Amino acid sequence: MVSNAMLASQLDTSDEWITTRTGISQRHVVDPGTSTSDLAVEAGRRAIDNADVETIDYVVLATTTPDRICPATAPEVASRLGLGHVPAFDISAVCSGFLYGVQMARALISGNLARAVMVIGAESFSTLLDPCDRTTRPIFGDGAGAVIFRAGRSDECGALLAVNLHSDGALADLIAVDGGGARARSAGRHDPAYIRMRGRSTFIQAIKHMEEVTLRTLDEVGWKVDEVDHLVGHQANQRILLSLAKHLGLPEEAAVINIREVGNTAAASIPLALDYGVRTGRIARGHKIVMPAFGAGATWGAAVLTWPDLKRAEA
Ligand code: UT7
């Protein structure tokens, strides 16, 4: 765990700046040698313990920080979870990665290609942070969360009712890691693989797109805004989440916010927030949930579901 005070002792920043601008008090970073697959396996194990499924047919891992450039990390995760030779692949959609994974699960199940799909969001995002960059290091953190989707009826608790996804590559420069990519390498450049973010422009785009896609997705399933119990959005910034709630006409309390404890964990952020909402007793069976995200790419989207009846194994 890295507190704001610890960062303020190393960077030109302060607890006051980080807390008021982002809502973040602390974030977690992996121990030396620990990587994304280790976090993903742990999250996957806990999801299996909590889920009412006999087999898992696919593993979809959303991550910005795969263990290696090649191969994908998901096959190793599936193998370490003891899932045999199931298809397993990574998705690279950064902070929207979990929603992209959810859409894959939905497509595989509704297309009768799978009965149950594990979607994991896992990040060792700290490995992309320039230790000297005060504009990124206080924001991002490491973590993992996993959700298992299974075939079922749309009137059951736990039904995933709609997912909408988008991208706009013209905004690719908002948030990027250039070093380590093929474009830099083919040009003979060996830049460090650090993330850079145009924070203010991203902030504006994030609210605009998440508001639009959330309203459209709610409309698609016939839910009025005031029927929504929880807004479980990508935890990029507490101010974004509160402003989004306000734009949508939702009370602040509807926003499930755990950014204070974990920072922005990119693809892991929505499943971690779901887990937080359940552990703190806010999210319960049958509650109506909308999950919007916006991130690098640019990519964005929203999903709506009702919360299932889960047996809960101890973490
Ligand atoms: O997860 C993917 C999507 N990501 C997002 O949605 C992130 C969206 N953006 C944000 O959350 C916010 O833009 C940030 C938290 C990244 C930045 O907050 P901001 O209120 O937009 O600050 P800013 O970038 O406009 O910077 C304001 C000032 C600047 O100083 P001047 O030019 O006003 O003198 C920065 O240099 O704050 C300065 N600053 C800092 N000061 C202390 C920037 N970072 C820091 C820092 N500590 N860590």
Side-chain angles (χ1 to χ4, degrees):
M1 192 277 286
V2 178
S3 67
N4 290 350
M6 287 154 86
L7 284 180
S9 70
Q10 298 165 17
L11 288 169
D12 180 15
T13 190
S14 64
D15 176 40
E16 203 261 334
W17 192 94
I18 302 171
T19 310
T20 53
R21 299 288 180 132
T22 69
I24 300 168
S25 290
Q26 62 179 51
R27 69 290 294 146
H28 297 81
V29 302
V30 288
D31 286 328
T34 299
S35 190
T36 300
S37 63
D38 305 316
L39 303 182
V41 167
E42 181 61 30
R45 235 179 233 130
R46 293 190 196 183
I48 289 168
D49 288 346
N50 281 308
D52 186 18
V53 292
E54 276 163 21
T55 53
I56 288 168
D57 304 315
Y58 271 80
V59 173
V60 182
L61 173 66
T63 186
T64 321
T65 49
D67 284 7
R68 299 184 267 199
I69 285 183
C70 167
T73 305
E76 178 179 335
V77 172
S79 167
R80 285 168 62 189
L81 286 171
L83 299 178
H85 296 171
V86 295
F89 58 95
D90 291 2
I91 286 184
S92 174
V94 198
C95 299
S96 311
F98 178 73
L99 293 185
Y100 271 66
V102 168
Q103 182 75 305
M104 290 306 106
R106 181 177 179 233
L108 288 165
I109 291 171
S110 61
N112 283 324
L113 297 171
R115 295 282 303 164
V117 178
M118 177 183 280
V119 181
I120 309 176
E123 301 283 10
S124 313
F125 217 92
S126 57
T127 59
L128 292 179
L129 299 176
D130 178 346
C132 303
D133 184 357
R134 71 173 182 171
T135 68
T136 52
R137 208 170 145 214
I139 312 284
F140 294 97
D142 301 341
V147 174
I148 298 170
F149 292 91
R150 64 159 173 80
R153 298 188 322 271
S154 60
D155 60 353
E156 274 184 80
C157 283
L160 173 65
L161 297 169
V163 185
N164 281 301
L165 300 176
H166 297 281
S167 77
D168 182 357
L171 299 175
D173 217 39
L174 280 182
I175 306 171
V177 179
D178 299 315
R183 186 165 300 284
R185 280 207 303 264
S186 80
R189 292 203 317 271
H190 298 282
D191 315 334
Y194 289 143
I195 195 150
R196 58 181 168 77
M197 175 165 72
R198 284 166 46 208
R200 190 115 290 269
S201 311
T202 307
F203 193 105
I204 293 162
Q205 293 286 344
I207 293 179
K208 178 177 114 184
H209 287 301
M210 284 197 289
E211 180 187 354
E212 190 277 325
V213 74
T214 300
L215 288 174
R216 192 155 36 78
T217 310
L218 292 177
D219 195 45
E220 192 179 317
V221 297
W223 291 1
K224 299 213 163 41
V225 169
D226 60 12
E227 287 178 67
V228 171
D229 295 300
H230 307 290
L231 172 70
V232 187
H234 166 50
Q235 310 280 309
N237 186 321
Q238 178 165 295
R239 287 190 294 140
I240 292 181
L241 289 165
L242 294 179
S243 169
L244 179 63
K246 194 170 166 192
H247 277 80
L248 292 169
L250 279 167
E252 282 192 359
E253 309 78 70
V256 173
I257 299 180
N258 68 335
I259 194 170
R260 185 176 175 283
E261 286 84 16
V262 296
N264 177 344
T265 58
S269 139
I270 288 180
L272 275 179
L274 284 173
D275 183 63
Y276 171 83
V278 175
R279 272 191 295 107
T280 51
R282 288 181 58 183
I283 298 180
R285 181 179 189 276
H287 283 183
K288 292 179 167 171
I289 297 173
V290 61
M291 310 187 298
F294 179 90
T299 56
W300 66 95
V304 296
L305 50 74
T306 57
W307 194 250
D309 203 3
L310 287 182
K311 64 178 173 124
R312 253 198 104 69
E314 284 310 307

